Amino acid sequence: RPAGLALPGVTLTPAALLGLYRLPGAPGPFSLAANIHVENDFTAIGLYTSDRMVFSRYIRSGAKGMADELVEHFRALSKPGAPDMHDIDLELPLPGTTGGAGGPPSAPLPVPPQAMDIDQAQALIRHVLMGGPEPEGLAPEHRLERAQVMEIVSPALERLARQVERTLEYYATSQQQRCDALHFSGAVFASDEVLQSLAGQLGYPAVLFDAPAILRRGQEHVAEDLRM
């Protein structure tokens, strides 16, 4: 699927990626590499030597967790009395000052931002972090900068990093071998901010496993061999 190909039957994501690791354009060299493939609802972790897959595990954390954080952020702000939206001075005005009887009207209370659903949150993340199209009907208060979105979704990335970390530690302890390379695949890593954040938390260089690009280079290599 990462390379745009249909996977028949019950082909597992880590097993499918093994075929791409055998192509000339795959990242390397390494003794043991872990591929962290993030889908919307899950993450597949595969461990590979130069010629085979030695371990795989699925965890129930994916890119949707980032959107969940965004939904919760705006849900909290949309509640009446949310502190982030109502940080105003509630002291009564002194006699003769503005805002009292006969004085100019006080400034209206700020309007809480609209909540957003999960589809809107995912579309906003794709737009801000991955260069996707701007969602239709985007409210002014939902127009966030990259740094703002990353701050909001950071708890989801931290949870994912901890789960990946525990999986890699389990393998290292049980098999007495640690990964010397970590590769990241999946649409969410079109965002360099997400890639750098997760790689940094795991303590590895940020190496993108670009399945479509690897497949194209592999096909070009085969075509060159046939022409020779």
Side-chain angles (χ1 to χ4, degrees):
R1 284 186 303 179
L5 303 176
L7 300 180
V10 291
T11 305
L12 299 176
T13 300
L17 292 177
L18 175 61
L20 295 177
Y21 270 105
R22 291 170 173 164
L23 295 178
F30 53 81
S31 297
L32 181 66
N35 186 293
I36 314 303
H37 179 78
V38 179
E39 290 279 349
N40 192 46
D41 296 314
F42 69 88
T43 295
I45 303 173
L47 271 62
Y48 305 87
T49 64
S50 59
D51 60 349
R52 64 192 179 99
M53 181 177 70
V54 297
F55 177 85
S56 67
R57 173 168 291 180
Y58 285 80
I59 56 179
R60 294 181 179 178
S61 292
K64 180 175 174 290
M66 298 166 58
D68 289 335
E69 292 291 340
L70 205 56
V71 168
E72 176 57 27
H73 172 78
F74 282 107
R75 186 196 66 80
L77 291 184
S78 67
K79 289 182 177 180
D84 286 350
M85 294 302 300
H86 295 274
D87 186 17
I88 58 175
D89 186 1
L90 297 180
E91 293 184 6
L92 293 176
L94 295 173
T97 61
T98 60
S106 300
L109 292 175
V111 178
Q114 300 177 29
M116 63 168 51
D117 60 32
I118 192 69
D119 292 334
Q120 292 171 320
Q122 289 177 318
L124 183 61
I125 288 172
R126 286 193 295 269
H127 169 58
V128 177
L129 296 182
M130 304 174 199
E134 180 175 309
E136 294 184 4
L138 189 66
E141 62 268 24
H142 293 161
R143 297 180 183 275
L144 304 176
E145 300 294 332
R146 288 173 178 260
Q148 292 173 300
V149 173
M150 284 300 298
E151 182 177 359
I152 294 170
V153 305
S154 61
L157 293 175
E158 290 169 4
R159 289 192 298 270
L160 177 57
R162 297 292 79 76
Q163 289 180 282
V164 171
E165 193 174 55
R166 286 195 294 269
T167 299
L168 299 181
E169 184 61 30
Y170 165 79
Y171 183 87
T173 302
S174 61
Q175 302 299 318
Q176 301 300 305
Q177 185 179 12
R178 292 188 179 275
C179 297
D180 60 323
L182 205 63
H183 305 145
F184 299 88
S185 67
V188 70
F189 296 116
S191 165
D192 187 63
E193 289 89 347
V194 173
L195 175 63
Q196 296 292 339
S197 174
L198 198 55
Q201 292 183 64
L202 292 169
Y204 284 83
V207 179
L208 179 65
F209 188 89
D210 189 341
I214 293 170
L215 181 62
R216 286 194 300 270
R217 287 196 293 269
Q219 291 171 334
E220 292 168 358
H221 183 81
V222 171
E224 289 175 1
D225 288 346
L226 292 176
R227 287 194 295 268
M228 294 178 63

PDB file of all heavy atoms in Angstrom, residues 19-56:
ATOM      1  N   GLY A  19       9.913  -6.613   0.828  1.00  0.00           N
ATOM      2  CA  GLY A  19      10.227  -6.600  -0.590  1.00  0.00           C
ATOM      3  C   GLY A  19      10.870  -5.307  -1.030  1.00  0.00           C
ATOM      4  O   GLY A  19      11.760  -5.296  -1.891  1.00  0.00           O
ATOM      5  N   LEU A  20      10.452  -4.194  -0.435  1.00  0.00           N
ATOM      6  CA  LEU A  20      11.049  -2.901  -0.778  1.00  0.00           C
ATOM      7  C   LEU A  20      12.472  -2.783  -0.237  1.00  0.00           C
ATOM      8  O   LEU A  20      13.324  -2.128  -0.845  1.00  0.00           O
ATOM      9  CB  LEU A  20      10.187  -1.768  -0.241  1.00  0.00           C
ATOM     10  CG  LEU A  20       8.783  -1.653  -0.859  1.00  0.00           C
ATOM     11  CD1 LEU A  20       7.996  -0.531  -0.200  1.00  0.00           C
ATOM     12  CD2 LEU A  20       8.860  -1.436  -2.361  1.00  0.00           C
ATOM     13  N   TYR A  21      12.737  -3.403   0.920  1.00  0.00           N
ATOM     14  CA  TYR A  21      14.095  -3.362   1.460  1.00  0.00           C
ATOM     15  C   TYR A  21      15.095  -4.073   0.546  1.00  0.00           C
ATOM     16  O   TYR A  21      16.301  -3.817   0.617  1.00  0.00           O
ATOM     17  CB  TYR A  21      14.132  -3.984   2.855  1.00  0.00           C
ATOM     18  CG  TYR A  21      13.896  -2.993   3.969  1.00  0.00           C
ATOM     19  CD1 TYR A  21      12.686  -2.954   4.644  1.00  0.00           C
ATOM     20  CD2 TYR A  21      14.885  -2.093   4.335  1.00  0.00           C
ATOM     21  CE1 TYR A  21      12.465  -2.036   5.667  1.00  0.00           C
ATOM     22  CE2 TYR A  21      14.678  -1.178   5.346  1.00  0.00           C
ATOM     23  CZ  TYR A  21      13.465  -1.155   6.009  1.00  0.00           C
ATOM     24  OH  TYR A  21      13.262  -0.230   7.011  1.00  0.00           O
ATOM     25  N   ARG A  22      14.595  -4.957  -0.284  1.00  0.00           N
ATOM     26  CA  ARG A  22      15.479  -5.692  -1.179  1.00  0.00           C
ATOM     27  C   ARG A  22      15.786  -4.936  -2.464  1.00  0.00           C
ATOM     28  O   ARG A  22      16.587  -5.393  -3.272  1.00  0.00           O
ATOM     29  CB  ARG A  22      14.843  -7.050  -1.510  1.00  0.00           C
ATOM     30  CG  ARG A  22      14.804  -7.990  -0.307  1.00  0.00           C
ATOM     31  CD  ARG A  22      13.958  -9.207  -0.585  1.00  0.00           C
ATOM     32  NE  ARG A  22      14.056 -10.180   0.505  1.00  0.00           N
ATOM     33  CZ  ARG A  22      13.199 -11.190   0.693  1.00  0.00           C
ATOM     34  NH1 ARG A  22      12.179 -11.337  -0.140  1.00  0.00           N
ATOM     35  NH2 ARG A  22      13.358 -12.024   1.695  1.00  0.00           N
ATOM     36  N   LEU A  23      15.142  -3.791  -2.657  1.00  0.00           N
ATOM     37  CA  LEU A  23      15.366  -2.999  -3.860  1.00  0.00           C
ATOM     38  C   LEU A  23      16.581  -2.085  -3.691  1.00  0.00           C
ATOM     39  O   LEU A  23      16.942  -1.712  -2.566  1.00  0.00           O
ATOM     40  CB  LEU A  23      14.123  -2.177  -4.180  1.00  0.00           C
ATOM     41  CG  LEU A  23      12.880  -2.985  -4.551  1.00  0.00           C
ATOM     42  CD1 LEU A  23      11.691  -2.052  -4.801  1.00  0.00           C
ATOM     43  CD2 LEU A  23      13.131  -3.865  -5.769  1.00  0.00           C
ATOM     44  N   PRO A  24      17.223  -1.709  -4.802  1.00  0.00           N
ATOM     45  CA  PRO A  24      18.469  -0.917  -4.719  1.00  0.00           C
ATOM     46  C   PRO A  24      18.310   0.425  -4.014  1.00  0.00           C
ATOM     47  O   PRO A  24      19.267   0.913  -3.416  1.00  0.00           O
ATOM     48  CB  PRO A  24      18.847  -0.721  -6.200  1.00  0.00           C
ATOM     49  CG  PRO A  24      18.171  -1.837  -6.924  1.00  0.00           C
ATOM     50  CD  PRO A  24      16.896  -2.103  -6.183  1.00  0.00           C
ATOM     51  N   GLY A  25      17.142   1.043  -4.071  1.00  0.00           N
ATOM     52  CA  GLY A  25      16.997   2.380  -3.501  1.00  0.00           C
ATOM     53  C   GLY A  25      16.675   2.419  -2.027  1.00  0.00           C
ATOM     54  O   GLY A  25      16.511   3.510  -1.458  1.00  0.00           O
ATOM     55  N   ALA A  26      16.588   1.263  -1.374  1.00  0.00           N
ATOM     56  CA  ALA A  26      16.241   1.234   0.055  1.00  0.00           C
ATOM     57  C   ALA A  26      17.394   1.763   0.898  1.00  0.00           C
ATOM     58  O   ALA A  26      18.565   1.617   0.524  1.00  0.00           O
ATOM     59  CB  ALA A  26      15.887  -0.178   0.478  1.00  0.00           C
ATOM     60  N   PRO A  27      17.099   2.391   2.051  1.00  0.00           N
ATOM     61  CA  PRO A  27      18.171   2.907   2.901  1.00  0.00           C
ATOM     62  C   PRO A  27      19.027   1.783   3.472  1.00  0.00           C
ATOM     63  O   PRO A  27      18.542   0.700   3.759  1.00  0.00           O
ATOM     64  CB  PRO A  27      17.413   3.658   4.008  1.00  0.00           C
ATOM     65  CG  PRO A  27      16.033   3.097   3.996  1.00  0.00           C
ATOM     66  CD  PRO A  27      15.758   2.688   2.607  1.00  0.00           C
ATOM     67  N   GLY A  28      20.272   2.051   3.635  1.00  0.00           N
ATOM     68  CA  GLY A  28      21.220   1.082   4.174  1.00  0.00           C
ATOM     69  C   GLY A  28      22.618   1.675   4.096  1.00  0.00           C
ATOM     70  O   GLY A  28      22.790   2.823   3.675  1.00  0.00           O
ATOM     71  N   PRO A  29      23.649   0.927   4.490  1.00  0.00           N
ATOM     72  CA  PRO A  29      23.582  -0.430   5.049  1.00  0.00           C
ATOM     73  C   PRO A  29      23.252  -0.425   6.535  1.00  0.00           C
ATOM     74  O   PRO A  29      23.348   0.613   7.197  1.00  0.00           O
ATOM     75  CB  PRO A  29      24.998  -0.947   4.809  1.00  0.00           C
ATOM     76  CG  PRO A  29      25.851   0.288   4.895  1.00  0.00           C
ATOM     77  CD  PRO A  29      25.031   1.406   4.321  1.00  0.00           C
ATOM     78  N   PHE A  30      22.879  -1.589   7.048  1.00  0.00           N
ATOM     79  CA  PHE A  30      22.580  -1.741   8.472  1.00  0.00           C
ATOM     80  C   PHE A  30      22.690  -3.208   8.844  1.00  0.00           C
ATOM     81  O   PHE A  30      22.629  -4.088   7.979  1.00  0.00           O
ATOM     82  CB  PHE A  30      21.169  -1.228   8.784  1.00  0.00           C
ATOM     83  CG  PHE A  30      20.100  -1.841   7.917  1.00  0.00           C
ATOM     84  CD1 PHE A  30      19.571  -3.091   8.196  1.00  0.00           C
ATOM     85  CD2 PHE A  30      19.617  -1.159   6.805  1.00  0.00           C
ATOM     86  CE1 PHE A  30      18.592  -3.658   7.401  1.00  0.00           C
ATOM     87  CE2 PHE A  30      18.633  -1.708   6.002  1.00  0.00           C
ATOM     88  CZ  PHE A  30      18.122  -2.968   6.292  1.00  0.00           C
ATOM     89  N   SER A  31      22.883  -3.457  10.131  1.00  0.00           N
ATOM     90  CA  SER A  31      22.852  -4.830  10.638  1.00  0.00           C
ATOM     91  C   SER A  31      21.433  -5.222  11.021  1.00  0.00           C
ATOM     92  O   SER A  31      20.972  -6.320  10.724  1.00  0.00           O
ATOM     93  CB  SER A  31      23.784  -4.973  11.841  1.00  0.00           C
ATOM     94  OG  SER A  31      25.125  -4.737  11.469  1.00  0.00           O
ATOM     95  N   LEU A  32      20.738  -4.295  11.716  1.00  0.00           N
ATOM     96  CA  LEU A  32      19.354  -4.525  12.098  1.00  0.00           C
ATOM     97  C   LEU A  32      18.630  -3.189  12.065  1.00  0.00           C
ATOM     98  O   LEU A  32      18.966  -2.270  12.804  1.00  0.00           O
ATOM     99  CB  LEU A  32      19.263  -5.125  13.506  1.00  0.00           C
ATOM    100  CG  LEU A  32      17.851  -5.437  14.013  1.00  0.00           C
ATOM    101  CD1 LEU A  32      17.216  -6.549  13.195  1.00  0.00           C
ATOM    102  CD2 LEU A  32      17.869  -5.815  15.492  1.00  0.00           C
ATOM    103  N   ALA A  33      17.631  -3.094  11.196  1.00  0.00           N
ATOM    104  CA  ALA A  33      16.868  -1.855  11.050  1.00  0.00           C
ATOM    105  C   ALA A  33      15.440  -2.062  11.505  1.00  0.00           C
ATOM    106  O   ALA A  33      14.849  -3.124  11.286  1.00  0.00           O
ATOM    107  CB  ALA A  33      16.879  -1.385   9.601  1.00  0.00           C
ATOM    108  N   ALA A  34      14.888  -1.050  12.142  1.00  0.00           N
ATOM    109  CA  ALA A  34      13.471  -1.058  12.515  1.00  0.00           C
ATOM    110  C   ALA A  34      12.736  -0.087  11.607  1.00  0.00           C
ATOM    111  O   ALA A  34      13.173   1.047  11.408  1.00  0.00           O
ATOM    112  CB  ALA A  34      13.288  -0.647  13.969  1.00  0.00           C
ATOM    113  N   ASN A  35      11.638  -0.539  11.037  1.00  0.00           N
ATOM    114  CA  ASN A  35      10.791   0.331  10.236  1.00  0.00           C
ATOM    115  C   ASN A  35       9.543   0.645  11.041  1.00  0.00           C
ATOM    116  O   ASN A  35       8.819  -0.256  11.468  1.00  0.00           O
ATOM    117  CB  ASN A  35      10.410  -0.344   8.918  1.00  0.00           C
ATOM    118  CG  ASN A  35       9.653   0.597   7.990  1.00  0.00           C
ATOM    119  OD1 ASN A  35       8.530   1.007   8.275  1.00  0.00           O
ATOM    120  ND2 ASN A  35      10.260   0.919   6.866  1.00  0.00           N
ATOM    121  N   ILE A  36       9.293   1.934  11.245  1.00  0.00           N
ATOM    122  CA  ILE A  36       8.110   2.393  11.979  1.00  0.00           C
ATOM    123  C   ILE A  36       7.130   2.929  10.945  1.00  0.00           C
ATOM    124  O   ILE A  36       7.278   4.027  10.437  1.00  0.00           O
ATOM    125  CB  ILE A  36       8.480   3.503  12.996  1.00  0.00           C
ATOM    126  CG1 ILE A  36       9.722   3.112  13.798  1.00  0.00           C
ATOM    127  CG2 ILE A  36       7.296   3.806  13.902  1.00  0.00           C
ATOM    128  CD1 ILE A  36       9.599   1.810  14.537  1.00  0.00           C
ATOM    129  N   HIS A  37       6.139   2.107  10.618  1.00  0.00           N
ATOM    130  CA  HIS A  37       5.168   2.467   9.587  1.00  0.00           C
ATOM    131  C   HIS A  37       3.864   2.899  10.262  1.00  0.00           C
ATOM    132  O   HIS A  37       3.183   2.084  10.888  1.00  0.00           O
ATOM    133  CB  HIS A  37       4.906   1.297   8.643  1.00  0.00           C
ATOM    134  CG  HIS A  37       3.899   1.625   7.576  1.00  0.00           C
ATOM    135  ND1 HIS A  37       4.212   2.362   6.463  1.00  0.00           N
ATOM    136  CD2 HIS A  37       2.568   1.349   7.499  1.00  0.00           C
ATOM    137  CE1 HIS A  37       3.131   2.509   5.721  1.00  0.00           C
ATOM    138  NE2 HIS A  37       2.120   1.916   6.327  1.00  0.00           N
ATOM    139  N   VAL A  38       3.525   4.181  10.127  1.00  0.00           N
ATOM    140  CA  VAL A  38       2.370   4.749  10.821  1.00  0.00           C
ATOM    141  C   VAL A  38       1.203   4.900   9.856  1.00  0.00           C
ATOM    142  O   VAL A  38       1.297   5.602   8.847  1.00  0.00           O
ATOM    143  CB  VAL A  38       2.719   6.118  11.453  1.00  0.00           C
ATOM    144  CG1 VAL A  38       1.500   6.712  12.152  1.00  0.00           C
ATOM    145  CG2 VAL A  38       3.874   5.959  12.439  1.00  0.00           C
ATOM    146  N   GLU A  39       0.115   4.217  10.158  1.00  0.00           N
ATOM    147  CA  GLU A  39      -1.152   4.381   9.444  1.00  0.00           C
ATOM    148  C   GLU A  39      -2.080   5.220  10.316  1.00  0.00           C
ATOM    149  O   GLU A  39      -1.692   5.691  11.388  1.00  0.00           O
ATOM    150  CB  GLU A  39      -1.772   3.015   9.138  1.00  0.00           C
ATOM    151  CG  GLU A  39      -1.020   2.229   8.089  1.00  0.00           C
ATOM    152  CD  GLU A  39      -1.357   2.665   6.669  1.00  0.00           C
ATOM    153  OE1 GLU A  39      -2.328   3.437   6.500  1.00  0.00           O
ATOM    154  OE2 GLU A  39      -0.645   2.238   5.734  1.00  0.00           O
ATOM    155  N   ASN A  40      -3.318   5.397   9.871  1.00  0.00           N
ATOM    156  CA  ASN A  40      -4.248   6.242  10.617  1.00  0.00           C
ATOM    157  C   ASN A  40      -4.590   5.655  11.982  1.00  0.00           C
ATOM    158  O   ASN A  40      -4.596   6.360  12.997  1.00  0.00           O
ATOM    159  CB  ASN A  40      -5.534   6.441   9.812  1.00  0.00           C
ATOM    160  CG  ASN A  40      -6.412   7.526  10.380  1.00  0.00           C
ATOM    161  OD1 ASN A  40      -5.937   8.610  10.712  1.00  0.00           O
ATOM    162  ND2 ASN A  40      -7.698   7.259  10.512  1.00  0.00           N
ATOM    163  N   ASP A  41      -4.866   4.342  12.031  1.00  0.00           N
ATOM    164  CA  ASP A  41      -5.368   3.718  13.257  1.00  0.00           C
ATOM    165  C   ASP A  41      -4.381   2.777  13.928  1.00  0.00           C
ATOM    166  O   ASP A  41      -4.699   2.193  14.960  1.00  0.00           O
ATOM    167  CB  ASP A  41      -6.661   2.946  12.960  1.00  0.00           C
ATOM    168  CG  ASP A  41      -7.786   3.854  12.517  1.00  0.00           C
ATOM    169  OD1 ASP A  41      -7.989   4.893  13.174  1.00  0.00           O
ATOM    170  OD2 ASP A  41      -8.466   3.545  11.523  1.00  0.00           O
ATOM    171  N   PHE A  42      -3.221   2.583  13.343  1.00  0.00           N
ATOM    172  CA  PHE A  42      -2.257   1.663  13.945  1.00  0.00           C
ATOM    173  C   PHE A  42      -0.863   2.017  13.473  1.00  0.00           C
ATOM    174  O   PHE A  42      -0.672   2.782  12.521  1.00  0.00           O
ATOM    175  CB  PHE A  42      -2.582   0.202  13.593  1.00  0.00           C
ATOM    176  CG  PHE A  42      -2.370  -0.131  12.135  1.00  0.00           C
ATOM    177  CD1 PHE A  42      -1.130  -0.553  11.660  1.00  0.00           C
ATOM    178  CD2 PHE A  42      -3.417  -0.024  11.231  1.00  0.00           C
ATOM    179  CE1 PHE A  42      -0.933  -0.850  10.317  1.00  0.00           C
ATOM    180  CE2 PHE A  42      -3.234  -0.325   9.888  1.00  0.00           C
ATOM    181  CZ  PHE A  42      -1.986  -0.738   9.429  1.00  0.00           C
ATOM    182  N   THR A  43       0.116   1.425  14.148  1.00  0.00           N
ATOM    183  CA  THR A  43       1.511   1.526  13.723  1.00  0.00           C
ATOM    184  C   THR A  43       2.086   0.126  13.639  1.00  0.00           C
ATOM    185  O   THR A  43       1.928  -0.676  14.571  1.00  0.00           O
ATOM    186  CB  THR A  43       2.330   2.377  14.712  1.00  0.00           C
ATOM    187  OG1 THR A  43       1.836   3.725  14.681  1.00  0.00           O
ATOM    188  CG2 THR A  43       3.810   2.376  14.357  1.00  0.00           C
ATOM    189  N   ALA A  44       2.720  -0.176  12.523  1.00  0.00           N
ATOM    190  CA  ALA A  44       3.368  -1.473  12.328  1.00  0.00           C
ATOM    191  C   ALA A  44       4.868  -1.301  12.495  1.00  0.00           C
ATOM    192  O   ALA A  44       5.470  -0.426  11.875  1.00  0.00           O
ATOM    193  CB  ALA A  44       3.052  -2.025  10.947  1.00  0.00           C
ATOM    194  N   ILE A  45       5.451  -2.140  13.346  1.00  0.00           N
ATOM    195  CA  ILE A  45       6.892  -2.106  13.583  1.00  0.00           C
ATOM    196  C   ILE A  45       7.485  -3.392  13.029  1.00  0.00           C
ATOM    197  O   ILE A  45       7.077  -4.488  13.422  1.00  0.00           O
ATOM    198  CB  ILE A  45       7.204  -1.981  15.084  1.00  0.00           C
ATOM    199  CG1 ILE A  45       6.530  -0.736  15.668  1.00  0.00           C
ATOM    200  CG2 ILE A  45       8.714  -1.942  15.321  1.00  0.00           C
ATOM    201  CD1 ILE A  45       6.651  -0.640  17.170  1.00  0.00           C
ATOM    202  N   GLY A  46       8.425  -3.269  12.115  1.00  0.00           N
ATOM    203  CA  GLY A  46       9.118  -4.429  11.566  1.00  0.00           C
ATOM    204  C   GLY A  46      10.607  -4.294  11.747  1.00  0.00           C
ATOM    205  O   GLY A  46      11.163  -3.197  11.575  1.00  0.00           O
ATOM    206  N   LEU A  47      11.252  -5.372  12.116  1.00  0.00           N
ATOM    207  CA  LEU A  47      12.711  -5.387  12.274  1.00  0.00           C
ATOM    208  C   LEU A  47      13.309  -6.267  11.182  1.00  0.00           C
ATOM    209  O   LEU A  47      12.845  -7.395  10.955  1.00  0.00           O
ATOM    210  CB  LEU A  47      13.111  -5.913  13.652  1.00  0.00           C
ATOM    211  CG  LEU A  47      13.225  -4.869  14.779  1.00  0.00           C
ATOM    212  CD1 LEU A  47      11.873  -4.195  15.027  1.00  0.00           C
ATOM    213  CD2 LEU A  47      13.729  -5.508  16.063  1.00  0.00           C
ATOM    214  N   TYR A  48      14.349  -5.735  10.516  1.00  0.00           N
ATOM    215  CA  TYR A  48      14.889  -6.376   9.325  1.00  0.00           C
ATOM    216  C   TYR A  48      16.409  -6.484   9.400  1.00  0.00           C
ATOM    217  O   TYR A  48      17.084  -5.547   9.834  1.00  0.00           O
ATOM    218  CB  TYR A  48      14.530  -5.569   8.068  1.00  0.00           C
ATOM    219  CG  TYR A  48      13.056  -5.316   7.908  1.00  0.00           C
ATOM    220  CD1 TYR A  48      12.453  -4.213   8.505  1.00  0.00           C
ATOM    221  CD2 TYR A  48      12.262  -6.174   7.157  1.00  0.00           C
ATOM    222  CE1 TYR A  48      11.090  -3.975   8.365  1.00  0.00           C
ATOM    223  CE2 TYR A  48      10.900  -5.947   7.007  1.00  0.00           C
ATOM    224  CZ  TYR A  48      10.327  -4.845   7.617  1.00  0.00           C
ATOM    225  OH  TYR A  48       8.981  -4.617   7.481  1.00  0.00           O
ATOM    226  N   THR A  49      16.918  -7.643   8.935  1.00  0.00           N
ATOM    227  CA  THR A  49      18.330  -7.744   8.608  1.00  0.00           C
ATOM    228  C   THR A  49      18.453  -7.448   7.128  1.00  0.00           C
ATOM    229  O   THR A  49      17.511  -6.993   6.493  1.00  0.00           O
ATOM    230  CB  THR A  49      18.863  -9.154   8.927  1.00  0.00           C
ATOM    231  OG1 THR A  49      18.197 -10.110   8.093  1.00  0.00           O
ATOM    232  CG2 THR A  49      18.636  -9.509  10.397  1.00  0.00           C
ATOM    233  N   SER A  50      19.604  -7.718   6.547  1.00  0.00           N
ATOM    234  CA  SER A  50      19.801  -7.387   5.136  1.00  0.00           C
ATOM    235  C   SER A  50      18.938  -8.228   4.209  1.00  0.00           C
ATOM    236  O   SER A  50      18.690  -7.830   3.062  1.00  0.00           O
ATOM    237  CB  SER A  50      21.281  -7.564   4.751  1.00  0.00           C
ATOM    238  OG  SER A  50      21.688  -8.900   4.992  1.00  0.00           O
ATOM    239  N   ASP A  51      18.462  -9.375   4.669  1.00  0.00           N
ATOM    240  CA  ASP A  51      17.739 -10.253   3.752  1.00  0.00           C
ATOM    241  C   ASP A  51      16.435 -10.832   4.301  1.00  0.00           C
ATOM    242  O   ASP A  51      15.742 -11.568   3.609  1.00  0.00           O
ATOM    243  CB  ASP A  51      18.642 -11.410   3.311  1.00  0.00           C
ATOM    244  CG  ASP A  51      19.106 -12.261   4.489  1.00  0.00           C
ATOM    245  OD1 ASP A  51      18.898 -11.839   5.649  1.00  0.00           O
ATOM    246  OD2 ASP A  51      19.673 -13.342   4.246  1.00  0.00           O
ATOM    247  N   ARG A  52      16.049 -10.487   5.547  1.00  0.00           N
ATOM    248  CA  ARG A  52      14.807 -11.067   6.069  1.00  0.00           C
ATOM    249  C   ARG A  52      14.236 -10.210   7.188  1.00  0.00           C
ATOM    250  O   ARG A  52      14.919  -9.383   7.790  1.00  0.00           O
ATOM    251  CB  ARG A  52      15.034 -12.497   6.568  1.00  0.00           C
ATOM    252  CG  ARG A  52      15.981 -12.607   7.751  1.00  0.00           C
ATOM    253  CD  ARG A  52      16.376 -14.060   8.005  1.00  0.00           C
ATOM    254  NE  ARG A  52      17.293 -14.167   9.123  1.00  0.00           N
ATOM    255  CZ  ARG A  52      16.918 -14.506  10.363  1.00  0.00           C
ATOM    256  NH1 ARG A  52      15.652 -14.785  10.620  1.00  0.00           N
ATOM    257  NH2 ARG A  52      17.791 -14.578  11.341  1.00  0.00           N
ATOM    258  N   MET A  53      12.947 -10.456   7.450  1.00  0.00           N
ATOM    259  CA  MET A  53      12.278  -9.816   8.573  1.00  0.00           C
ATOM    260  C   MET A  53      12.390 -10.752   9.777  1.00  0.00           C
ATOM    261  O   MET A  53      12.077 -11.943   9.681  1.00  0.00           O
ATOM    262  CB  MET A  53      10.806  -9.556   8.250  1.00  0.00           C
ATOM    263  CG  MET A  53      10.049  -8.865   9.371  1.00  0.00           C
ATOM    264  SD  MET A  53       8.334  -8.500   8.908  1.00  0.00           S
ATOM    265  CE  MET A  53       7.653 -10.181   8.869  1.00  0.00           C
ATOM    266  N   VAL A  54      12.813 -10.229  10.913  1.00  0.00           N
ATOM    267  CA  VAL A  54      13.039 -11.077  12.084  1.00  0.00           C
ATOM    268  C   VAL A  54      12.008 -10.845  13.190  1.00  0.00           C
ATOM    269  O   VAL A  54      11.933 -11.637  14.130  1.00  0.00           O
ATOM    270  CB  VAL A  54      14.463 -10.863  12.651  1.00  0.00           C
ATOM    271  CG1 VAL A  54      15.506 -11.289  11.624  1.00  0.00           C
ATOM    272  CG2 VAL A  54      14.676  -9.409  13.063  1.00  0.00           C
ATOM    273  N   PHE A  55      11.217  -9.769  13.071  1.00  0.00           N
ATOM    274  CA  PHE A  55      10.269  -9.458  14.148  1.00  0.00           C
ATOM    275  C   PHE A  55       9.267  -8.440  13.620  1.00  0.00           C
ATOM    276  O   PHE A  55       9.601  -7.574  12.809  1.00  0.00           O
ATOM    277  CB  PHE A  55      11.016  -8.871  15.347  1.00  0.00           C
ATOM    278  CG  PHE A  55      10.137  -8.451  16.501  1.00  0.00           C
ATOM    279  CD1 PHE A  55       9.733  -9.360  17.463  1.00  0.00           C
ATOM    280  CD2 PHE A  55       9.712  -7.130  16.614  1.00  0.00           C
ATOM    281  CE1 PHE A  55       8.926  -8.963  18.525  1.00  0.00           C
ATOM    282  CE2 PHE A  55       8.907  -6.731  17.660  1.00  0.00           C
ATOM    283  CZ  PHE A  55       8.513  -7.650  18.623  1.00  0.00           C
ATOM    284  N   SER A  56       8.012  -8.570  14.064  1.00  0.00           N
ATOM    285  CA  SER A  56       7.017  -7.550  13.726  1.00  0.00           C
ATOM    286  C   SER A  56       6.000  -7.452  14.845  1.00  0.00           C
ATOM    287  O   SER A  56       5.743  -8.420  15.569  1.00  0.00           O
ATOM    288  CB  SER A  56       6.309  -7.883  12.407  1.00  0.00           C
ATOM    289  OG  SER A  56       5.510  -9.046  12.525  1.00  0.00           O
TER     290      SER A  56
END
